[in-house]
């Protein structure tokens, strides 16, 4: 155990001498309060330490003791429903012990050491196992079956295994390893947060992560195992999008990481998630959620650790064969922690004071996403999708964090404050957003939703682009300068914007739209355009076409229940044909 002395304290940065035997990224205990820190730089026997707690009160010559182990997380039953800080200390337990304020140097296990879990083995004595093999199952709760795996990089023969009730640190069996040693198996394992957990093969992402949000699923889809960013200024609805993704996405586990957002936003998450009913299971959404809570008034350095803590827990559940979504809010605050530490280390600054390695650090986070063949002998598949919110000042995405993120991720959901002010949610701008998974996912949509999916989606994008161009003309010379077909294009674009892309998160039927219903809704809008074109060619007035009563029924089609939409949409389709047919018969003769 290496012991050194502090020579300098600069906010969350502590420099200590006498640390020659310590290693990079070792966890250390700083000062009399034994504050938790991590070595981030070594020069000879001098170590630069990032302290994850408030450093007030420590000074020169105070003791620094290395634990000779990297910053690691405890992985095992009990993770789900937990609320941790950035270094995986359980906040609920700490509140019970010490009240609202975290005790300095608090050292409390992440997983409950007293609770017993019912373990059911799936292997027997004499079986040959390798790293990642599932040894048995624990019912973590009514929703999640926690698969107990042999830690990576191990292989050998099972010599003991027994069903029963165990705490996370009690042996449930033994493995005679190939190197001649014996390993006691427990329900818990540890893993260093800065090291990606291994997998057998990374697969191309060819299946969408279905969110039920029409704007996302149809225009800007994300693949399972994909990466996305949600940049937007204050008030543009980042939290709305993230909550909808957490609630409705077809993933098994949600890891929500607060990386230094304002305390009231994280409080909303902590209060609301337990109250939200999971539409997949009927239980609380927390039954498949882990929260990492790190707010802007917590020590800045802990933000940097929180993102690694969250993604490591996500990889652990991915290795069980689950589909996991990591939602980080927001990577801008995390990058501010990098800038703070870089400045105190007196490193050469990059653009706007951020460190030159900002893009590299962001890439290290996002590259841990992916759809993979998990290690283990059964060839199970797991997926980890990473979605990061970005909070550029004033919504200016030319700033370094946004630009670095855009160079890495494949999906850009650009939030627009002007849409949010008009109460158009999700406020994803359809002109600036994009998805690089769109072409890859086309075959899946065509085979699993409808052969017409691509046609409708491409046409919807084309109509919205045409509307943007026509708006410029209208601003210059007025609406009367446009022909009837152009005015029809504006009317159809308005229907796509206001009826299709806008969703009400508080309407139980509108909050989530299945893919087949999304396709049918677009078919309804384009059926109106098709019939309206016939009426225009027959001489009907575009104003009268736009004021038909069926237009309101198309607008209300978004709230059609998922189990009744086919019948409702068929009725609306018949009314479109009937009403426009009458208009043609009535108006056409006058022309």
């Amino acid at each position: 155990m290496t012991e050194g002395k502090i020579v300098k304290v600069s906010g969350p940065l502590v420099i200590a001498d006498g640390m020659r035997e310590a290693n990079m990224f070792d966890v250390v205990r700083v000062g009399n309060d034994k504050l938790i820190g991590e070595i981030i730089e070594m020069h000879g026997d001098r170590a630069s330490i990032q302290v994850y707690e408030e450093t007030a009160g420590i000074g020169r010559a105070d003791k620094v003791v290395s634990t000779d182990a990297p910053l690691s997380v405890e992985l095992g039953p009990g993770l789900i429903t937990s609320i941790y800080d950035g270094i995986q200390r359980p906040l609920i337990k700490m509140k019970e012990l010490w009240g609202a304020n975290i005790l300095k140097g608090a050292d409390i296990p992440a997983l409950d050491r007293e609770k017993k879990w019912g373990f059911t083995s799936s292997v027997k004595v004499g079986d040959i196992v390798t790293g990642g093999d599932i040894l048995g199952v624990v019912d973590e709760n009514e929703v999640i079956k926690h698969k107990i795996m042999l830690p990576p990089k191990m292989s050998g023969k099972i010599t003991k295994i027994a069903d029963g009730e165990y705490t996370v640190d009690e042996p449930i069996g033994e493995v005679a390893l190939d190197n001649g040693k014996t390993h006691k198996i427990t329900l818990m394992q540890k893993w260093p947060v800065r090291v990606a957990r291994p997998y057998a093969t990374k697969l191309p992402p060819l299946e969408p992560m279905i969110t039920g949000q029409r704007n996302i699923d149809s225009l800007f889809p994300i693949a399972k195992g994909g990466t996305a960013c949600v940049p937007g200024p204050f008030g543009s609805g980042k939290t709305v999008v993230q909550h909808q993704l957490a609630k409705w996405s077809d993933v098994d586990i949600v890891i929500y990481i607060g990386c230094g957002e304002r305390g009231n936003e994280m409080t909303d998450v902590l209060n609301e998630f337990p109250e939200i009913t999971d539409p997949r299971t009927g239980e609380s959404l927390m039954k498949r959620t882990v929260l990492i809570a790190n707010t802007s008034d917590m020590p800045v350095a802990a933000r940097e650790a929180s993102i690694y803590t969250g993604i490591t827990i996500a990889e652990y559940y991915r290795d069980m064969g689950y589909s996991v979504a990591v939602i980080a809010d927001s990577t801008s605050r995390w990058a501010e922690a990098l800038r703070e530490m870089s400045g105190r280390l007196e490193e050469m600054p990059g653009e706007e004071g951020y460190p030159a390695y900002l893009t590299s650090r962001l890439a290290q986070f996002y590259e841990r996403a992916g759809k993979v063949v998990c290690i283990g002998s059964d060839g199970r598949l797991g997926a980890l999708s990473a979605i990061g919110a970005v909070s550029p000042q004033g919504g200016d995405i030319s700033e370094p964090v946004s630009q670095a993120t855009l160079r890495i991720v494949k999906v850009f959901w650009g939030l627009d404050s002007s849409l949010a002010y008009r109460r158009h949610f999700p406020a994803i701008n359809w002109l600036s957003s994009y998805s690089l998974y769109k072409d890859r996912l086309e075959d899946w949509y065509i085979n699993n939703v409808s052969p017409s999916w691509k046609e409708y989606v491409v046409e919807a994008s084309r109509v919205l682009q045409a509307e943007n161009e026509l708006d410029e003309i209208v601003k210059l010379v007025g609406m009367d300068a446009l022909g009837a077909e152009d005015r029809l294009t504006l009317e159809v674009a308005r229907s796509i914007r206001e009826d299709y892309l806008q969703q009400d998160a508080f309407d139980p039927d509108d909050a989530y739209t299945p893919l087949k219903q999304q396709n049918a809704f677009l078919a309804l809008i384009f059926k109106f355009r098709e019939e309206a074109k016939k009426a225009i060619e027959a001489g009907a007035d575009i104003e009268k076409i736009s004021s038909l009563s069926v237009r309101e029924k198309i607008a209300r089609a978004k709230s059609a229940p998922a189990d009744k939409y086919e019948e409702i949409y068929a009725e609306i389709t018949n009314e479109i044909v009937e009403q426009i047919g009458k208009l043609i018969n009535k108006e056409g003769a006058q022309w």
Side-chain angles (χ1 to χ4, degrees):
M1 188 176 288
T2 306
E3 189 174 306
K5 297 286 185 184
I6 295 175
V7 295
K8 178 181 177 182
V9 179
S10 175
L13 176 67
V14 167
I15 297 177
D17 275 345
M19 303 293 289
R20 184 176 296 278
E21 300 302 318
N23 297 310
M24 278 285 287
F25 302 121
D26 275 0
V27 172
V28 297
R29 291 293 183 161
V30 179
N32 296 327
D33 290 326
K34 297 183 177 178
L35 307 182
I36 300 172
E38 183 185 20
I39 297 175
I40 56 174
E41 222 176 65
M42 291 289 295
H43 296 285
D45 70 342
R46 178 166 287 195
S48 298
I49 299 162
Q50 178 171 256
V51 182
Y52 293 126
E53 301 184 68
E54 177 57 54
T55 56
I58 63 173
R60 286 173 60 90
D62 281 0
K63 189 164 62 173
V64 173
V65 180
S66 172
T67 63
D68 296 328
L71 183 64
S72 302
V73 288
E74 295 183 350
L75 303 169
L79 287 170
I80 298 292
T81 74
S82 295
I83 302 170
Y84 295 114
D85 71 354
I87 49 177
Q88 211 201 6
R89 295 183 297 185
L91 293 175
I92 301 296
K93 185 71 174 175
M94 288 198 290
K95 184 183 177 185
E96 291 172 1
L97 292 173
W98 302 302
N101 296 314
I102 297 174
L103 190 71
K104 276 191 172 187
D107 187 11
I108 183 168
L111 298 177
D112 191 334
R113 295 296 194 269
E114 296 176 4
K115 182 172 181 178
K116 287 188 176 285
W117 300 89
F119 169 73
T120 305
S121 63
S122 57
V123 295
K124 60 185 184 299
V125 173
D127 284 354
I128 303 298
V129 291
T130 185
D133 278 353
I134 294 171
L135 308 178
V137 174
V138 168
D139 287 333
E140 192 157 0
N141 55 41
E142 302 89 332
V143 178
I144 299 299
K145 285 192 175 298
H146 193 110
K147 299 166 187 176
I148 305 302
M149 300 171 289
L150 188 69
K153 301 178 182 177
M154 286 187 183
S155 60
K157 181 188 288 188
I158 299 286
T159 55
K160 288 183 185 177
I161 194 83
D163 295 2
E165 299 276 325
Y166 298 94
T167 61
V168 292
D169 56 353
E170 287 179 338
I172 60 172
E174 290 183 1
V175 177
L177 300 177
D178 293 341
N179 60 11
K181 296 181 180 179
T182 299
H183 173 73
K184 291 185 183 297
I185 310 164
T186 62
L187 299 180
M188 178 187 78
Q189 55 180 272
K190 290 189 175 185
W191 191 262
V193 298
R194 295 183 186 274
V195 179
R197 284 178 66 89
Y199 51 82
T201 310
K202 184 168 276 192
L203 303 172
L206 300 175
E207 179 185 351
M209 188 179 90
I210 301 165
T211 67
Q213 310 307 298
R214 296 186 290 268
N215 200 330
I216 292 173
D217 287 342
S218 54
L219 298 186
F220 314 112
I222 177 175
K224 275 187 180 174
T227 55
C229 69
V230 194
F234 174 75
S236 61
K238 290 188 294 295
T239 305
V240 173
V241 171
Q242 290 172 322
H243 283 209
Q244 289 296 89
L245 291 172
K247 181 176 181 179
W248 294 109
S249 297
D250 66 332
V251 294
D252 303 306
I253 310 282
V254 175
I255 313 294
Y256 194 102
I257 309 170
C259 310
E261 280 300 291
R262 290 172 296 280
N264 60 332
E265 288 197 9
M266 202 63 221
T267 302
D268 285 344
V269 173
L270 299 180
N271 288 335
E272 289 171 12
F273 271 43
E275 302 296 324
I276 294 174
T277 301
D278 183 0
R280 288 163 56 107
T281 63
E283 301 283 344
S284 164
L285 186 61
M286 280 300 292
K287 293 286 181 74
R288 60 184 182 95
T289 302
V290 181
L291 295 179
I292 312 292
N294 202 273
T295 60
S296 53
D297 62 344
M298 289 181 173
V300 67
R303 301 180 195 176
E304 208 259 340
S306 63
I307 208 163
Y308 296 109
T309 298
I311 197 97
T312 305
I313 294 172
E315 287 177 329
Y316 176 62
Y317 281 101
R318 175 209 67 192
D319 290 348
M320 296 181 198
Y322 287 124
S323 177
V324 187
V326 171
I327 299 173
D329 184 16
S330 86
T331 54
S332 294
R333 306 285 172 261
W334 173 76
E336 286 172 3
L338 289 183
R339 180 167 61 182
E340 166 93 1
M341 293 308 300
S342 177
R344 293 186 182 278
L345 287 167
E346 300 178 2
E347 295 173 338
M348 182 69 73
E351 190 178 355
E352 292 189 21
Y354 288 101
Y357 48 78
L358 172 65
T359 304
S360 172
R361 290 289 181 86
L362 277 167
Q364 286 172 11
F365 167 68
Y366 284 109
E367 73 182 2
R368 290 170 74 168
K371 185 175 182 180
V372 303
V373 177
C374 305
I375 58 170
S377 52
D378 61 354
R380 61 189 178 274
L381 302 180
L384 196 170
S385 309
I387 299 153
V390 186
S391 308
Q393 295 179 359
D396 176 17
I397 65 166
S398 65
E399 56 88 39
V401 182
S402 298
Q403 288 302 306
T405 305
L406 288 178
R407 286 196 287 272
I408 299 161
V409 301
K410 304 293 185 186
V411 179
F412 169 60
W413 296 320
L415 298 180
D416 191 329
S417 56
S418 64
L419 289 174
Y421 294 150
R422 298 204 302 264
R423 296 296 181 264
H424 184 295
F425 290 105
I428 296 172
N429 188 304
W430 47 86
L431 297 174
S432 60
S433 302
Y434 62 81
S435 169
L436 299 182
Y437 296 117
K438 210 167 181 178
D439 292 341
R440 283 188 177 187
L441 299 176
E442 274 175 4
D443 288 343
W444 188 95
Y445 279 114
I446 289 169
N447 295 330
N448 293 276
V449 183
S450 170
S452 59
W453 178 271
K454 179 181 178 180
E455 174 193 343
Y456 288 151
V457 167
V458 169
E459 188 59 20
S461 299
R462 192 198 65 78
V463 169
L464 291 170
Q465 186 65 46
E467 179 199 35
N468 185 55
E469 294 165 2
L470 290 170
D471 275 346
E472 297 297 321
I473 298 171
V474 170
K475 287 174 185 174
L476 288 172
V477 294
M479 182 69 78
D480 294 337
L482 297 181
E485 287 215 10
D486 285 341
R487 293 178 69 178
L488 175 61
T489 297
L490 291 178
E491 185 66 23
V492 172
R494 184 169 72 87
S495 183
I496 293 171
R497 283 190 291 105
E498 297 178 3
D499 306 337
Y500 184 76
L501 297 182
Q502 193 170 350
Q503 272 180 273
D504 184 354
F506 296 102
D507 182 332
D509 292 316
D510 190 28
Y512 178 90
T513 308
L515 294 181
K516 289 184 182 293
Q517 186 174 350
Q518 293 184 35
N519 188 73
F521 196 172
L522 282 175
L524 203 61
I525 293 170
F526 289 125
K527 181 63 176 176
F528 172 79
R529 184 182 69 170
E530 179 189 329
E531 296 300 317
K533 278 185 176 179
K534 293 177 185 175
I536 290 170
E537 289 166 3
D541 185 4
I542 182 63
E543 292 289 346
K544 291 185 178 179
I545 294 172
S546 302
S547 59
L548 289 172
S549 60
V550 76
R551 280 287 294 108
E552 186 177 346
K553 291 195 174 182
I554 294 173
R556 291 183 178 178
K558 62 166 71 179
S559 296
D563 57 345
K564 296 179 181 175
Y565 80 88
E566 290 177 315
E567 178 186 335
I568 294 170
Y569 287 9
E571 289 178 9
I572 296 174
T573 301
N574 291 336
E575 287 194 44
I576 290 171
V577 174
E578 183 183 332
Q579 289 189 21
I580 292 182
K582 285 181 180 178
L583 192 64
I584 290 173
N585 293 334
K586 183 179 177 183
E587 297 290 317
Q590 299 178 21
W591 287 76

